[in-house]
Each structure stands twice: as structure tokens, then as C-alpha cells.
Amino acid sequence: QQASELGGRWEVQQVAGASLGEGVYLWVEIDPATRAVSGFTGCNNFTSSITEFGATLAFAPVTEEAGEC
């Protein structure tokens, strides 16, 4: 799928095939118009830009805002 088809907010349910557990809330939001990605890691917010390579999305270096965890 292309970034334009993936636009919007997505709730993360697994990381590397492992379930996150009860009460863990992570999300990623893709904005195809600006080629930006942002999200929440459960403690910190993050932002990055994305580039498409065929059916693959690549994230630029991620900027993370320190949370209170």
C-alpha cells in the first residue's frame, strides 16, 4: 500500500509480533499530504518524515519528545 492509502491514525496492537498487553496504548498517524508521521510510544510523542520505495515506507530519523516516564 502507498502512504496515501495508509493516511490517518492507526492503533498499534503488536510490536515485532508481540502483543502489547492490557492498558498499553500506542498509535501512529500518517499524513500523506505532508509525508509526515507522528505518534505516541506509550510515554513519548514522536515525529518523522516518510519516503516511499515501491511498497515500502521508510522513516527518516525520529524526533522524540521526552515524556514523564
Side-chain angles (χ1 to χ4, degrees), residues 1-3 10-12 14 16 18 25 27 30-31 33 38 41-42 44-45 47 54-57 60 62 67:
Q1 293 180 323
Q2 296 181 330
W10 297 82
E11 184 177 331
V12 177
Q14 295 182 345
Y25 181 70
W27 57 268
I30 297 173
D31 183 346
S38 60
T41 66
N44 301 323
N45 292 309
T47 57
T56 302
L57 295 179
V62 174

Side-chain angles (χ1 to χ4, degrees), residues 4-49:
S4 59
E5 297 170 340
L6 296 173
R9 183 176 283 201
W10 297 82
E11 184 177 331
V12 177
Q13 296 179 347
Q14 295 182 345
V15 174
S19 294
L20 298 177
E22 186 104 10
V24 178
Y25 181 70
L26 306 157
W27 57 268
V28 174
E29 187 167 355
I30 297 173
D31 183 346
T34 62
R35 299 220 174 266
V37 63
S38 60
F40 181 68
T41 66
C43 180
N44 301 323
N45 292 309
F46 70 89
T47 57
S48 184
S49 61

